[in-house]
Amino acid sequence: MTADALTADEIDDLARRAQGGDTDAMEALLAAVRPRTLNVCRGVLPHLADAEDACQEALLNVARKIGSWNGRGRFTTWLHVVAVNSARTTYRRLKNQATPQDPQESFGLDRPDPRTTSVIAGTRLDLLEAMETIEKDHPQFVEPLLLRDVYGLSYDEIATLLGVPLGTVKAQIHHGRKLARPLLRGGE
C-alpha cells in the first residue's frame, strides 16, 4: 500500500485512526506515506543513504507526534513539514560530523572528503547553508520559505499548516527570499 494508491481522504482517515490509538492504522499509514516522505527527504539530501536516514527519522517522528496534527489541513501537508525538518536535522548532524571542531584535527585537509561525507557534495548545500544562516536571526522565515520555494505548497496550505494569517505567510516568504538571495551562490 502506497500513498499514491490511497486518496488524500483515505490517508487522513488512517491518520485520525492512528491518532486514536489504532496500531494497525498507524502501520498502514507509515507504509503508505513512506515513499512520499523519502521523496521529500531526497529533495534536501541527494545522497540516497542520507535521505533514507532522514526518512526513517521522519517516520519515527510521525509515529511519536501524530497527536500534534490538528486535522485542519491534509495529513500529507503536515507530513511535509515533519519530513523537511527531519532532513534538515540529518543535514546538520552530517555537517557537524564532517567538520572538525578543532582545526588541528583536519590533518592538513582543507575540506571534508565528499566520498565519505555525502552531504558536503550535495547539490542543495548552498540552500541549506543559507537557511541555517537565516535561521540564526530570523527563524520565522525559514519554514514558510522552504515549504513554498522548495516543496511548492500553496500560500493557503502554508497558512493553514502553520496556523498564521495568509498575509503573514506571504510577508515571511517575501522577507525570507530577500535574506536568502545574497547567500545563494551567484545570488549577489
Side-chain angles (χ1 to χ4, degrees):
M1 180 184 318
T2 66
D4 295 336
L6 297 177
T7 67
D9 288 338
E10 290 169 327
I11 291 173
D12 289 352
D13 180 57
L14 277 175
R16 283 186 197 90
R17 290 178 22 222
Q19 276 184 321
D22 183 336
T23 56
D24 291 337
M26 177 62 78
E27 290 299 320
L29 176 68
L30 295 175
V33 299
R34 187 185 185 288
R36 179 186 302 246
T37 305
L38 181 58
N39 284 339
V40 170
C41 292
R42 286 202 72 183
V44 176
L45 300 164
H47 188 265
L48 181 59
D50 297 340
E52 286 175 344
D53 286 347
C55 177
Q56 185 64 28
E57 183 66 30
L59 294 175
L60 286 171
N61 285 332
V62 166
R64 284 187 207 124
K65 301 176 182 181
I66 195 161
S68 67
W69 174 57
N70 60 24
R72 286 188 312 210
R74 288 287 184 193
F75 176 80
T76 52
T77 303
W78 179 81
L79 175 69
H80 261 84
V81 173
V82 173
V84 167
N85 288 339
S86 293
R88 291 181 65 221
T89 298
T90 299
Y91 167 77
R92 284 186 201 112
R93 186 185 77 245
L94 292 169
K95 179 181 168 191
N96 289 339
Q97 289 173 350
T99 306
Q101 298 300 315
D102 179 0
Q104 297 299 322
E105 292 179 24
S106 67
F107 303 108
L109 295 176
D110 292 331
R111 60 183 177 81
D113 184 348
R115 293 170 298 171
T116 58
T117 312
S118 60
V119 72
I120 297 302
T123 58
R124 301 224 175 206
L125 180 62
D126 56 339
L127 175 63
L128 292 170
E129 288 295 328
M131 294 301 106
E132 293 289 314
T133 300
I134 292 169
E135 191 169 41
K136 290 175 187 166
D137 294 323
H138 307 286
Q140 72 275 19
F141 301 144
V142 174
E143 193 168 43
L145 185 59
L146 285 172
L147 291 173
R148 178 68 185 146
D149 289 354
V150 176
Y151 294 100
L153 296 183
S154 72
Y155 292 107
D156 290 332
E157 286 177 306
I158 296 167
T160 300
L161 183 64
L162 300 179
V164 297
L166 181 61
T168 300
V169 166
K170 289 181 178 182
Q172 287 174 333
I173 292 168
H174 173 75
H175 291 299
R177 286 174 177 159
K178 284 175 65 175
L179 293 170
R181 203 168 287 122
L183 298 173
L184 297 173
R185 291 183 198 153
E188 297 173 34

